[in-house]
Amino acid sequence: MTAIGDFYTGRPTPEIARDLLGHELIYETPAGVMSGWIVETEAYLGEQDTAAHAFNGRHTAANAALYDAPGTIYIYVLRGYYMLNVAAQPQGTPQGILIRGIEPHRGLKLMQIHRDKPVPDVTNGPGKLMAALGIHTKDLNRTLLGAHNLRITPTAERIPRRVTASARIGVSAGSWHDQPLRFTVAGNPFVSASRKRDWDRLQHGWQSNDNLVH
């Protein structure tokens, strides 16, 4: 098992999803490095989860990455947007984590060239963050984090003051629609669908306010 695999196994997927908050997502390109701290994730629990792509053991070429080694990148397209997921649990157990929002750290100007939107709208959603990174293909699908030019730091770079767990966004009504499997940095402006009145404008929900984007 690789160090990446160790992080994405050995404990429940919701716990891993929660722990990813504050880790830095880093994408290296010829035009420059772009990165951001993860502020929002969702856990999907495989065969038992009615909202998961592998519900009832569904296994196709499209979702095969979920069945690969832990730490494998799974990219799919929804309503024209590319979405970034990471496979969790041992190979053959199709659980995953959707990265729903990042707070830009490095390369904000480059992100805004790719996605001409103001802060925080540039990366406050799963499709938005991929567009901001300039990822419009599935070339990295079924590759391990860090094997090429996309990685997530193995440890948290920022520590949330408080983490909120809630129902996932866009999940159809059913036995799993209200499960608290969405994790956010409370008060962070880059959390999707967050309300301005709830934003922590000073520290963005982190324990310290170093290097914040305003």
Side-chain angles (χ1 to χ4, degrees), residues 14-162:
E15 183 179 334
I16 300 170
R18 186 187 189 282
D19 283 357
L20 274 174
L21 300 177
H23 288 239
E24 190 168 4
L25 175 70
I26 302 169
Y27 185 51
E28 300 177 356
T29 76
V33 176
M34 292 165 284
S35 74
W37 300 292
I38 297 172
V39 301
E40 180 179 0
T41 60
E42 288 180 346
Y44 288 86
L45 306 186
E47 297 101 327
Q48 61 182 329
D49 184 347
T50 56
H53 289 181
F55 177 57
N56 272 345
R58 184 171 180 266
H59 189 174
T60 69
N63 73 351
L66 288 172
Y67 290 83
D68 289 345
T72 296
I73 296 167
Y74 170 39
I75 297 175
Y76 68 93
V77 182
L78 180 65
R79 294 190 288 273
Y81 284 99
Y82 287 79
M83 306 286 183
L84 174 62
N85 298 253
V86 181
Q89 304 309 329
Q91 187 165 349
T93 303
Q95 298 190 17
I97 298 164
L98 173 65
I99 309 301
R100 282 199 56 92
I102 62 172
E103 176 176 347
H105 179 203
R106 290 179 281 177
L108 175 60
K109 290 183 179 179
L110 183 55
M111 291 183 193
Q112 289 178 311
I113 291 173
H114 297 149
R115 177 173 162 77
D116 186 16
K117 296 291 182 180
V119 169
D121 191 45
V122 64
T123 56
N124 63 344
K128 295 176 181 181
L129 72 89
M130 289 287 272
L133 293 174
I135 298 177
H136 303 289
T137 73
K138 293 184 179 181
D139 290 349
L140 291 170
N141 188 53
R142 300 196 74 178
T143 66
L144 280 172
L145 285 168
H148 297 286
N149 56 338
L150 181 65
R151 60 189 173 93
I152 295 175
T153 56
T155 57
E157 303 293 313
R158 309 299 300 274
I159 306 299
R161 296 176 66 187
R162 183 168 64 89

Side-chain angles (χ1 to χ4, degrees), residues 176-192:
W176 282 73
H177 78 280
D178 58 352
Q179 295 293 311
L181 296 173
R182 174 182 176 235
F183 304 94
T184 62
V185 177
N188 190 282
F190 293 87
V191 170
S192 64

